[in-house]
Amino acid sequence: MSTRKTVLLTGGRAPATLELARLFHQAGHRVIVAESARHHLCQGSRAVSRSYRVPSPRQQSEGYIQALQRIMEQEKVDMLLPTCEEIFYVSRGLNGLLEKGRVLTEGLEILRPLHDKWSFQQLAKQAGAAVPLTRKVETEEQLREALKHSSRQVVLKPVFSRFASRIRIVTDPRSAALGKLPAVSKQEPWLVQDFIKGRQICSYAVAHEGRLALYADYETSYTAGQGATIHFSYANHFKVKDFVHRFVHGQQFSGQIAFDFIEGETGELYVIECNPRLTSGIHLFADQPAATAAFFGTQSELFVPHGNHPSMLGIAMMAYGLPAVRSSADGRRFLQDFRSARDVVWSRTDPFPFLQQVRMLTDLAMQSRKTGKSMMECSTSDIEWNGEA
């Protein structure tokens, strides 16, 4: 009996999805991609057998699910694996999709409280984790009051957001309470959270019914703006791994799940937020096709990265990491980190996605100029989910 499977990936725009496609291809599986963007990284990749353009999950939710159903039936898909924020729309249409094949995600009733930064704080505390002091505000008056009563540096962020694209770090909350503040409402609540100074660590895992099948964690040393990590190196942090294991087991969770942490200056680990989807942690498994067994749940032991080979988003490192250099010591460190890391998009055997980046960035620049939003915000505008019914 053949072990070759047909896997349908969504979110072909993401470098992490490209990494996953290459891993499944290396493992001998057939990879199909469904993406709503006109240009995306997986388009033209030698790891992908066929790429479909589908309606926007955010703007045409029903049409998106129907398109995925047709692809699953036509291509005889064994497993649908959503990767980016379109996972919430896949989750909402899960019942119909399951009629066509296996789908690696929980239902929306499970994913929503994980994506909601306020609800997740409560779940993390229930799991015995330390979390920063956090207040939820739904009116401008509540926001000003929270700032007036803050005696230390705080972070402001929407309950639903991604890549830290809308985060504000407020060093003097009492003075900020007198100035212009972000628009908050019951429909779009924000959080006022104590700022924790320390080391930022991220984790990524795949689980089946509460059992970890794949796991990695990495320290954040370079970021795009205040959020997305662009340089990855396996940290193997015991406290992080212990929390992930306990949380996944307690929730009896199935699917992909990622967490952000801050290790304070005294060593205490704070859980910040959760992303129940694919993240950049997958880059730590490059050229380890055996890792794909974790997605099917066919291996008995936990799969972790082999070795510690740094990876990076090369263009992002030049755009964000290089301008952050402030001293000769910073410059030497950046040069060493850049030289030692593998660019996650570039591959000698699969070069087209590297060139495709230019078309993607051009499209995003045009969208940014037209809408007045940042390129990062434009990159998710058609797939993001902010808790809508």
Side-chain angles (χ1 to χ4, degrees):
M1 185 177 178
S2 174
T3 58
R4 186 174 190 251
K5 304 289 187 183
T6 295
V7 180
L8 173 60
L9 304 179
T10 59
R13 69 191 70 187
T17 309
L18 176 63
E19 190 81 79
L20 195 54
R22 286 170 171 168
L23 284 173
F24 276 113
H25 177 69
Q26 290 170 4
H29 302 298
R30 180 170 174 261
V31 180
I32 309 294
V33 170
E35 170 59 79
S36 55
R38 181 172 58 162
H39 301 300
H40 60 89
L41 282 181
C42 291
Q43 198 172 23
S45 168
R46 292 177 178 172
V48 176
S49 294
R50 188 167 183 182
S51 177
Y52 288 87
R53 189 170 183 196
V54 292
S56 160
R58 182 170 174 79
Q59 280 85 33
Q60 298 170 271
S61 304
E62 290 186 13
Y64 177 68
I65 295 300
Q66 290 168 1
L68 293 182
Q69 289 175 318
R70 287 194 296 270
I71 295 168
M72 292 180 75
E73 187 169 10
Q74 181 177 323
E75 298 288 351
K76 296 181 172 54
V77 169
D78 294 291
M79 181 171 69
L80 166 59
L81 186 54
T83 64
C84 302
E85 274 203 24
E86 74 283 340
I87 192 171
F88 300 106
Y89 298 96
V90 170
S91 181
R92 192 163 64 184
L94 188 57
N95 289 340
L97 291 167
L98 285 172
E99 295 175 1
K100 306 298 181 181
R102 185 179 179 187
V103 186
L104 187 59
T105 183
E106 293 277 16
L108 197 57
E109 72 282 358
I110 302 295
L111 296 192
R112 182 190 171 95
L114 299 178
H115 185 47
D116 180 321
K117 291 175 173 54
W118 173 250
S119 297
F120 172 67
Q121 291 275 300
Q122 318 315 310
L123 293 174
K125 284 192 285 188
Q126 291 170 20
V131 300
L133 177 62
T134 305
R135 288 137 290 185
K136 182 180 179 182
V137 294
E138 297 181 336
T139 66
E140 183 178 310
E141 183 181 359
Q142 289 177 353
L143 177 53
R144 292 191 189 278
E145 282 298 309
L147 289 172
K148 285 178 186 176
H149 291 91
S150 296
S151 58
R152 57 183 294 176
Q153 197 171 7
V154 297
V155 178
L156 304 183
K157 55 186 174 183
V159 164
F160 292 103
S161 55
R162 71 277 316 147
F163 304 137
S165 59
R166 299 172 69 190
I167 272 186
R168 296 190 187 187
I169 298 176
V170 181
T171 55
D172 186 354
R174 291 173 182 174
S175 295
L178 303 174
K180 186 177 181 181
L181 297 171
V184 301
S185 65
K186 194 172 184 64
Q187 291 71 38
E188 188 180 17
W190 281 55
L191 301 182
V192 180
Q193 188 172 76
D194 279 5
F195 177 82
I196 306 296
K197 186 177 181 181
R199 175 188 180 201
Q200 184 177 336
I201 301 165
C202 302
S203 70
Y204 168 70
V206 176
H208 298 278
E209 297 180 344
R211 178 184 64 84
L212 281 181
L214 178 142
Y215 171 84
D217 56 51
Y218 51 99
E219 183 175 356
T220 296
S221 49
Y222 298 93
T223 62
Q226 297 181 99
T229 306
I230 55 177
H231 187 279
F232 322 95
S233 183
Y234 185 34
N236 196 18
H237 194 291
F238 172 76
K239 289 183 180 179
V240 169
K241 186 177 181 181
D242 179 63
F243 169 79
V244 175
H245 172 79
R246 286 188 289 108
F247 189 89
V248 164
H249 179 73
Q251 296 288 319
Q252 284 296 290
F253 184 83
S254 293
Q256 302 173 92
I257 192 164
F259 301 95
D260 294 342
F261 305 83
I262 297 289
E263 186 177 56
E265 294 177 312
T266 60
E268 185 166 15
L269 187 70
Y270 294 86
V271 185
I272 306 299
E273 58 189 61
C274 174
N275 293 300
R277 54 174 174 79
L278 178 69
T279 65
S280 298
I282 194 64
H283 296 308
L284 299 173
F285 298 94
D287 296 320
Q288 300 167 55
T292 58
F295 293 88
F296 298 108
T298 55
Q299 95 288 11
S300 57
E301 295 184 359
L302 176 63
F303 198 96
V304 297
H306 296 162
N308 187 8
H309 307 293
S311 297
M312 67 176 178
L313 290 163
I315 289 180
M317 280 287 280
M318 295 300 293
Y320 293 98
L322 188 57
V325 170
R326 295 287 181 268
S327 65
S328 56
D330 286 348
R332 288 192 296 271
R333 175 171 168 259
F334 175 83
L335 191 59
Q336 180 181 352
D337 290 342
F338 191 89
R339 284 177 170 174
S340 64
R342 169 192 71 101
D343 187 326
V344 301
V345 177
W346 169 251
S347 169
R348 284 183 299 172
T349 58
D350 187 27
F352 191 76
F354 188 83
L355 303 175
Q356 187 73 348
Q357 287 180 108
V358 179
R359 300 176 77 179
M360 289 177 60
L361 291 171
T362 301
D363 263 8
L364 289 174
M366 292 174 63
Q367 289 179 45
S368 178
R369 189 163 58 246
K370 184 178 179 180
T371 63
K373 297 180 179 179
S374 70
M375 288 175 65
M376 191 169 289
E377 288 176 305
C378 289
S379 72
T380 62
S381 61
D382 61 329
I383 62 172
E384 66 185 44
W385 183 75
N386 297 308
E388 295 91 348

Coordinates of all heavy atoms in Angstrom, one line a residue, residues 43-116:
Q43 N 3.9 29.7 -5.5 CA 3.6 29.7 -6.9 C 4.8 29.4 -7.8 O 5.8 30.2 -7.7 CB 3.0 31.1 -7.3 CG 2.2 31.2 -8.5 CD 1.5 32.6 -8.6 OE1 2.0 33.5 -8.0 NE2 0.4 32.6 -9.3
G44 N 4.9 28.4 -8.5 CA 6.0 28.1 -9.3 C 7.1 27.3 -8.6 O 8.1 26.9 -9.2
S45 N 6.9 27.0 -7.3 CA 7.9 26.2 -6.6 C 7.8 24.7 -7.1 O 6.8 24.2 -7.4 CB 7.5 26.1 -5.1 OG 8.3 25.1 -4.4
R46 N 9.0 24.1 -7.3 CA 9.1 22.8 -7.7 C 8.5 21.8 -6.7 O 8.3 20.6 -7.1 CB 10.6 22.4 -8.0 CG 11.1 23.2 -9.2 CD 12.6 22.9 -9.5 NE 13.1 23.6 -10.7 CZ 14.3 23.6 -11.1 NH1 15.3 23.0 -10.3 NH2 14.7 24.3 -12.1
A47 N 8.3 22.2 -5.5 CA 7.7 21.3 -4.5 C 6.2 21.2 -4.6 O 5.6 20.4 -4.0 CB 8.1 21.9 -3.1
V48 N 5.6 22.1 -5.4 CA 4.2 22.2 -5.5 C 3.7 21.7 -6.9 O 4.1 22.1 -7.9 CB 3.7 23.7 -5.3 CG1 2.2 23.8 -5.5 CG2 4.1 24.2 -3.9
S49 N 2.8 20.7 -6.8 CA 2.3 20.1 -8.0 C 1.3 21.0 -8.8 O 1.3 21.0 -10.0 CB 1.6 18.7 -7.7 OG 2.5 17.8 -7.2
R50 N 0.5 21.7 -8.0 CA -0.5 22.6 -8.6 C -0.9 23.6 -7.6 O -1.0 23.4 -6.4 CB -1.7 21.8 -9.0 CG -2.7 22.6 -9.9 CD -3.7 21.8 -10.6 NE -4.6 22.6 -11.4 CZ -5.6 22.1 -12.1 NH1 -5.9 20.8 -12.1 NH2 -6.4 22.9 -12.8
S51 N -1.1 24.9 -8.1 CA -1.5 26.0 -7.3 C -2.8 26.5 -7.8 O -3.0 26.8 -9.0 CB -0.4 27.1 -7.3 OG -0.8 28.2 -6.6
Y52 N -3.8 26.7 -6.9 CA -5.1 27.2 -7.2 C -5.3 28.6 -6.6 O -4.9 28.8 -5.5 CB -6.2 26.3 -6.7 CG -6.4 25.0 -7.4 CD1 -5.6 23.9 -7.0 CD2 -7.3 24.9 -8.4 CE1 -5.8 22.7 -7.6 CE2 -7.6 23.6 -9.0 CZ -6.8 22.5 -8.6 OH -7.0 21.3 -9.2
R53 N -5.8 29.5 -7.4 CA -6.2 30.8 -6.8 C -7.7 30.7 -6.4 O -8.5 30.3 -7.2 CB -6.1 32.0 -7.8 CG -6.3 33.3 -7.1 CD -5.9 34.5 -8.0 NE -6.1 35.7 -7.2 CZ -6.2 36.9 -7.7 NH1 -6.0 37.1 -9.0 NH2 -6.3 38.0 -6.9
V54 N -7.9 31.1 -5.1 CA -9.3 30.9 -4.5 C -9.8 32.3 -4.0 O -9.0 33.2 -3.9 CB -9.2 29.9 -3.4 CG1 -8.9 28.5 -3.9 CG2 -8.2 30.3 -2.3
P55 N -11.1 32.4 -3.8 CA -11.6 33.7 -3.2 C -11.0 34.0 -1.9 O -10.4 33.2 -1.2 CB -13.1 33.4 -3.1 CG -13.4 32.3 -4.0 CD -12.1 31.4 -4.0
S56 N -11.1 35.3 -1.6 CA -10.5 35.8 -0.3 C -11.3 35.2 0.9 O -12.5 35.3 0.9 CB -10.6 37.3 -0.2 OG -10.6 37.8 1.1
P57 N -10.6 34.6 1.8 CA -11.4 34.0 3.0 C -12.1 35.1 3.8 O -13.2 34.8 4.3 CB -10.3 33.4 3.9 CG -9.1 33.2 2.9 CD -9.2 34.3 1.9
R58 N -11.6 36.3 3.9 CA -12.2 37.3 4.6 C -13.4 38.0 3.9 O -14.4 38.2 4.5 CB -11.1 38.4 5.0 CG -11.7 39.5 5.8 CD -10.5 40.4 6.3 NE -11.0 41.6 7.1 CZ -11.5 41.6 8.3 NH1 -11.5 40.5 9.0 NH2 -11.9 42.7 8.9
Q59 N -13.2 38.3 2.6 CA -14.2 39.0 1.9 C -15.3 38.0 1.3 O -16.4 38.4 1.0 CB -13.6 39.8 0.8 CG -13.1 41.2 1.3 CD -11.7 41.1 1.8 OE1 -10.9 40.3 1.3 NE2 -11.3 41.9 2.8
Q60 N -14.9 36.8 1.0 CA -15.8 35.8 0.3 C -15.7 34.5 1.0 O -15.3 33.5 0.5 CB -15.4 35.7 -1.1 CG -15.6 37.0 -1.9 CD -15.0 36.8 -3.3 OE1 -13.8 37.1 -3.5 NE2 -15.8 36.4 -4.3
S61 N -16.1 34.5 2.3 CA -15.9 33.3 3.2 C -16.5 32.0 2.6 O -15.9 31.0 2.6 CB -16.4 33.6 4.6 OG -15.8 34.7 5.1
E62 N -17.8 32.1 2.2 CA -18.5 30.9 1.7 C -17.9 30.4 0.4 O -17.7 29.2 0.2 CB -20.0 31.2 1.5 CG -20.7 31.4 2.8 CD -22.3 31.6 2.6 OE1 -22.7 31.3 1.4 OE2 -22.9 32.0 3.5
G63 N -17.6 31.4 -0.5 CA -16.9 31.0 -1.8 C -15.6 30.3 -1.5 O -15.2 29.4 -2.3
Y64 N -14.9 30.8 -0.5 CA -13.6 30.2 -0.2 C -13.7 28.8 0.2 O -13.0 27.9 -0.3 CB -12.9 31.1 0.9 CG -11.6 30.5 1.4 CD1 -10.5 30.6 0.6 CD2 -11.5 30.0 2.7 CE1 -9.2 30.1 1.1 CE2 -10.3 29.5 3.2 CZ -9.2 29.6 2.4 OH -7.9 29.1 2.8
I65 N -14.6 28.5 1.1 CA -14.8 27.1 1.6 C -15.3 26.2 0.4 O -14.8 25.1 0.3 CB -15.9 27.1 2.7 CG1 -15.3 27.8 4.0 CG2 -16.2 25.6 3.1 CD1 -14.0 27.3 4.5
Q66 N -16.2 26.7 -0.4 CA -16.6 25.9 -1.5 C -15.5 25.6 -2.5 O -15.4 24.5 -3.0 CB -17.7 26.7 -2.3 CG -19.1 26.8 -1.5 CD -20.0 27.8 -2.1 OE1 -19.8 28.4 -3.1 NE2 -21.2 27.9 -1.4
A67 N -14.6 26.6 -2.7 CA -13.4 26.3 -3.6 C -12.5 25.3 -3.0 O -12.0 24.4 -3.7 CB -12.7 27.6 -3.7
L68 N -12.3 25.3 -1.7 CA -11.5 24.3 -1.0 C -12.1 22.9 -1.2 O -11.4 21.9 -1.4 CB -11.3 24.6 0.4 CG -10.4 25.8 0.8 CD1 -10.2 26.0 2.3 CD2 -9.0 25.8 0.1
Q69 N -13.4 22.8 -1.0 CA -14.2 21.6 -1.2 C -14.0 21.0 -2.6 O -13.7 19.8 -2.7 CB -15.7 21.8 -0.8 CG -16.0 22.0 0.6 CD -17.4 22.3 0.9 OE1 -18.1 23.0 0.1 NE2 -18.0 21.7 1.9
R70 N -14.1 21.9 -3.6 CA -13.9 21.4 -4.9 C -12.5 20.9 -5.2 O -12.3 19.9 -5.8 CB -14.2 22.6 -5.9 CG -15.7 22.9 -6.0 CD -16.0 23.8 -7.3 NE -15.3 25.1 -7.1 CZ -15.9 26.1 -6.6 NH1 -17.1 26.0 -6.1 NH2 -15.3 27.3 -6.5
I71 N -11.5 21.6 -4.7 CA -10.1 21.2 -4.8 C -9.9 19.8 -4.2 O -9.2 19.0 -4.7 CB -9.2 22.3 -4.3 CG1 -9.3 23.6 -5.1 CG2 -7.7 21.8 -4.3 CD1 -8.6 24.8 -4.4
M72 N -10.4 19.7 -2.9 CA -10.2 18.4 -2.2 C -10.8 17.3 -3.0 O -10.2 16.2 -3.0 CB -10.8 18.6 -0.8 CG -10.1 19.5 0.1 SD -10.8 19.6 1.8 CE -10.3 18.1 2.5
E73 N -12.0 17.5 -3.5 CA -12.6 16.4 -4.3 C -11.9 16.1 -5.6 O -11.6 15.0 -5.9 CB -14.1 16.8 -4.6 CG -14.9 15.7 -5.2 CD -16.4 16.0 -5.2 OE1 -16.8 17.2 -4.9 OE2 -17.2 15.1 -5.5
Q74 N -11.5 17.2 -6.3 CA -10.9 17.0 -7.6 C -9.5 16.4 -7.5 O -9.1 15.6 -8.3 CB -10.8 18.4 -8.3 CG -10.2 18.4 -9.7 CD -10.2 19.8 -10.3 OE1 -11.2 20.6 -10.1 NE2 -9.2 20.1 -11.0
E75 N -8.7 16.8 -6.5 CA -7.4 16.4 -6.4 C -7.2 15.2 -5.5 O -6.1 14.7 -5.2 CB -6.5 17.5 -5.9 CG -6.4 18.7 -6.8 CD -5.6 18.5 -8.0 OE1 -4.9 17.4 -8.1 OE2 -5.6 19.4 -8.9
K76 N -8.4 14.7 -5.0 CA -8.4 13.5 -4.0 C -7.4 13.8 -2.9 O -6.5 13.0 -2.6 CB -8.0 12.2 -4.8 CG -9.0 11.9 -5.8 CD -8.7 10.6 -6.5 CE -9.8 10.1 -7.4 NZ -10.3 11.1 -8.4
V77 N -7.6 14.9 -2.2 CA -6.7 15.3 -1.1 C -6.9 14.4 0.1 O -8.0 14.2 0.5 CB -7.1 16.8 -0.8 CG1 -6.4 17.2 0.5 CG2 -6.6 17.7 -1.9
D78 N -5.8 14.0 0.7 CA -5.8 13.2 1.9 C -5.9 14.1 3.1 O -6.5 13.7 4.1 CB -4.6 12.3 2.0 CG -4.5 11.3 0.9 OD1 -5.3 10.3 0.9 OD2 -3.7 11.4 0.0
M79 N -5.2 15.2 3.1 CA -5.3 16.1 4.3 C -5.2 17.6 3.8 O -4.3 17.9 3.0 CB -4.1 15.8 5.2 CG -4.2 16.7 6.5 SD -3.0 16.1 7.8 CE -1.4 16.6 6.9
L80 N -6.1 18.4 4.4 CA -6.0 19.8 4.2 C -5.3 20.4 5.4 O -5.7 20.1 6.6 CB -7.4 20.4 4.1 CG -7.6 21.9 4.3 CD1 -6.7 22.7 3.2 CD2 -9.0 22.4 4.2
L81 N -4.3 21.2 5.2 CA -3.5 21.7 6.3 C -3.5 23.3 6.1 O -2.6 23.8 5.4 CB -2.0 21.2 6.2 CG -1.1 21.5 7.3 CD1 -1.6 21.1 8.6 CD2 0.3 20.8 7.1
P82 N -4.4 24.0 6.8 CA -4.3 25.4 6.8 C -3.1 26.0 7.5 O -2.7 25.3 8.5 CB -5.6 25.8 7.5 CG -6.0 24.7 8.3 CD -5.4 23.4 7.7
T83 N -2.6 27.1 7.1 CA -1.3 27.5 7.7 C -1.4 28.9 8.3 O -0.9 29.1 9.4 CB -0.2 27.5 6.6 OG1 -0.5 28.5 5.6 CG2 0.0 26.1 6.0
C84 N -2.0 29.9 7.6 CA -2.0 31.3 8.1 C -3.3 31.6 8.8 O -4.1 30.7 9.2 CB -1.7 32.3 7.0 SG -0.1 32.0 6.2
E85 N -3.7 32.9 8.8 CA -5.0 33.2 9.5 C -6.3 32.7 8.8 O -7.3 32.8 9.4 CB -5.1 34.7 9.8 CG -4.3 35.0 11.1 CD -4.8 36.3 11.8 OE1 -6.0 36.7 11.5 OE2 -4.0 36.9 12.5
E86 N -6.1 32.3 7.6 CA -7.3 31.7 6.9 C -7.7 30.4 7.7 O -8.8 29.9 7.4 CB -7.0 31.4 5.5 CG -6.1 30.2 5.2 CD -4.6 30.4 5.4 OE1 -4.2 31.6 5.4 OE2 -3.9 29.5 5.6
I87 N -6.9 30.0 8.6 CA -7.3 28.8 9.4 C -8.6 29.0 10.1 O -9.4 28.1 10.3 CB -6.2 28.4 10.4 CG1 -6.4 27.0 11.0 CG2 -6.0 29.4 11.5 CD1 -5.3 26.5 11.8
F88 N -8.9 30.2 10.5 CA -10.1 30.5 11.2 C -11.4 30.4 10.3 O -12.4 30.0 10.8 CB -10.1 31.9 11.9 CG -8.9 32.0 12.9 CD1 -7.8 32.8 12.5 CD2 -9.0 31.4 14.1 CE1 -6.7 32.9 13.4 CE2 -7.9 31.4 15.0 CZ -6.8 32.2 14.6
Y89 N -11.2 30.7 9.1 CA -12.3 30.5 8.1 C -12.5 29.0 7.8 O -13.6 28.5 7.6 CB -12.1 31.4 6.9 CG -12.0 32.8 7.2 CD1 -10.8 33.5 7.4 CD2 -13.2 33.6 7.4 CE1 -10.7 34.8 7.8 CE2 -13.2 34.9 7.7 CZ -11.9 35.5 7.9 OH -11.9 36.9 8.2
V90 N -11.3 28.3 7.7 CA -11.4 26.9 7.5 C -12.1 26.2 8.6 O -12.9 25.3 8.5 CB -9.9 26.3 7.3 CG1 -9.9 24.8 7.3 CG2 -9.3 26.8 6.0
S91 N -11.7 26.7 9.8 CA -12.3 26.1 11.1 C -13.8 26.3 11.1 O -14.6 25.5 11.5 CB -11.6 26.7 12.3 OG -12.1 26.2 13.5
R92 N -14.2 27.5 10.7 CA -15.7 27.8 10.6 C -16.4 27.0 9.6 O -17.6 26.6 9.9 CB -15.9 29.3 10.3 CG -17.3 29.8 10.6 CD -17.3 31.3 10.6 NE -17.0 31.9 9.4 CZ -16.9 33.3 9.2 NH1 -17.1 34.1 10.2 NH2 -16.5 33.8 8.0
G93 N -15.8 26.6 8.5 CA -16.4 25.7 7.5 C -16.0 24.3 7.7 O -16.1 23.5 6.7
L94 N -15.5 23.9 8.9 CA -14.9 22.6 9.0 C -15.8 21.4 8.7 O -15.4 20.4 8.1 CB -14.4 22.5 10.5 CG -13.6 21.2 10.9 CD1 -12.4 21.1 10.0 CD2 -13.2 21.3 12.3
N95 N -17.1 21.5 9.1 CA -18.0 20.3 8.9 C -18.1 19.9 7.4 O -18.0 18.8 7.0 CB -19.4 20.6 9.4 CG -19.4 20.6 11.0 OD1 -18.5 20.1 11.6 ND2 -20.3 21.3 11.6
G96 N -18.3 21.0 6.5 CA -18.4 20.7 5.1 C -17.0 20.2 4.5 O -17.0 19.3 3.7
L97 N -15.9 20.7 5.0 CA -14.6 20.2 4.5 C -14.3 18.8 4.9 O -13.7 18.0 4.2 CB -13.5 21.2 5.0 CG -13.6 22.6 4.4 CD1 -12.7 23.6 5.2 CD2 -13.2 22.6 2.9
L98 N -14.7 18.4 6.1 CA -14.4 17.1 6.6 C -15.1 16.0 5.8 O -14.7 14.8 5.8 CB -14.9 16.9 8.1 CG -13.9 17.6 9.1 CD1 -14.5 17.6 10.5 CD2 -12.6 16.9 9.1
E99 N -16.2 16.4 5.0 CA -16.9 15.5 4.1 C -16.0 15.1 3.0 O -16.2 14.1 2.3 CB -18.2 16.1 3.6 CG -19.2 16.3 4.7 CD -20.4 17.0 4.2 OE1 -20.5 17.3 3.0 OE2 -21.4 17.3 5.0
K100 N -14.9 15.9 2.7 CA -14.1 15.7 1.5 C -12.7 15.1 1.9 O -12.0 14.6 1.1 CB -13.8 17.0 0.8 CG -15.1 17.8 0.4 CD -15.9 17.0 -0.6 CE -17.2 17.8 -1.0 NZ -18.0 17.0 -1.9
G101 N -12.4 15.1 3.2 CA -11.1 14.5 3.6 C -10.7 15.0 5.0 O -11.4 15.8 5.7
R102 N -9.5 14.7 5.4 CA -9.0 15.0 6.8 C -8.6 16.5 6.7 O -8.0 17.0 5.8 CB -7.8 14.2 7.1 CG -7.3 14.4 8.5 CD -6.2 13.5 8.8 NE -5.6 13.7 10.2 CZ -4.6 13.1 10.7 NH1 -3.9 12.2 9.9 NH2 -4.1 13.4 11.9
V103 N -8.9 17.2 7.9 CA -8.5 18.6 8.0 C -7.8 18.8 9.4 O -8.4 18.4 10.4 CB -9.7 19.6 8.0 CG1 -9.2 21.0 8.0 CG2 -10.5 19.3 6.7
L104 N -6.5 19.3 9.4 CA -5.8 19.4 10.6 C -6.1 20.7 11.3 O -5.3 21.7 11.2 CB -4.3 19.2 10.4 CG -3.5 19.1 11.7 CD1 -3.9 18.0 12.6 CD2 -2.0 19.0 11.4
T105 N -7.2 20.8 12.0 CA -7.5 22.0 12.8 C -8.6 21.7 13.7 O -9.4 20.8 13.4 CB -7.9 23.2 11.9 OG1 -8.2 24.3 12.8 CG2 -9.2 23.0 11.1
E106 N -8.7 22.4 14.8 CA -9.9 22.3 15.7 C -11.0 23.2 15.2 O -10.8 24.0 14.2 CB -9.5 22.8 17.1 CG -8.4 21.9 17.8 CD -9.1 20.7 18.5 OE1 -10.2 20.4 18.2 OE2 -8.4 20.1 19.3
G107 N -12.2 23.1 15.8 CA -13.3 23.9 15.4 C -13.1 25.3 16.0 O -12.3 25.6 16.8
L108 N -13.9 26.3 15.5 CA -13.7 27.7 15.8 C -14.0 27.9 17.3 O -13.4 28.8 17.9 CB -14.7 28.5 15.0 CG -14.4 30.0 15.0 CD1 -13.0 30.3 14.4 CD2 -15.4 30.7 14.1
E109 N -14.8 27.1 18.0 CA -15.1 27.2 19.4 C -13.8 27.0 20.2 O -13.7 27.5 21.3 CB -16.2 26.3 19.8 CG -15.9 24.8 19.9 CD -15.9 24.1 18.6 OE1 -16.2 24.8 17.5 OE2 -15.6 22.9 18.5
I110 N -12.9 26.2 19.7 CA -11.6 25.9 20.3 C -10.5 27.0 20.0 O -9.8 27.5 20.8 CB -11.0 24.6 20.0 CG1 -12.0 23.5 20.3 CG2 -9.7 24.3 20.6 CD1 -12.3 23.3 21.8
L111 N -10.5 27.4 18.7 CA -9.5 28.3 18.2 C -9.7 29.8 18.7 O -8.8 30.5 18.9 CB -9.4 28.3 16.7 CG -8.9 27.0 16.0 CD1 -8.7 27.2 14.6 CD2 -7.7 26.4 16.7
R112 N -11.0 30.2 18.7 CA -11.3 31.6 19.1 C -10.7 32.0 20.4 O -10.0 33.1 20.4 CB -12.8 31.8 19.1 CG -13.1 33.3 19.4 CD -14.6 33.5 19.7 NE -14.8 34.9 20.1 CZ -15.1 35.9 19.3 NH1 -15.3 35.7 18.1 NH2 -15.2 37.1 19.8
P113 N -10.9 31.3 21.5 CA -10.3 31.8 22.8 C -8.7 31.7 22.8 O -8.1 32.4 23.6 CB -10.9 30.9 23.8 CG -11.3 29.7 23.1 CD -11.7 30.2 21.7
L114 N -8.1 31.0 21.9 CA -6.7 31.0 21.8 C -6.2 32.2 21.0 O -5.1 32.8 21.3 CB -6.2 29.7 21.1 CG -6.6 28.4 21.7 CD1 -6.1 27.2 20.9 CD2 -6.0 28.3 23.1
H115 N -6.9 32.6 20.0 CA -6.5 33.8 19.2 C -6.9 35.1 19.9 O -6.2 36.1 19.7 CB -7.3 33.7 17.8 CG -7.0 34.7 16.8 ND1 -5.7 35.1 16.5 CD2 -7.8 35.5 16.1 CE1 -5.7 36.0 15.6 NE2 -6.9 36.3 15.3
D116 N -7.9 35.1 20.7 CA -8.3 36.2 21.5 C -7.3 36.4 22.6 O -7.2 35.6 23.5 CB -9.7 36.0 22.0 CG -10.3 37.1 22.9 OD1 -9.5 37.7 23.7 OD2 -11.5 37.4 22.8

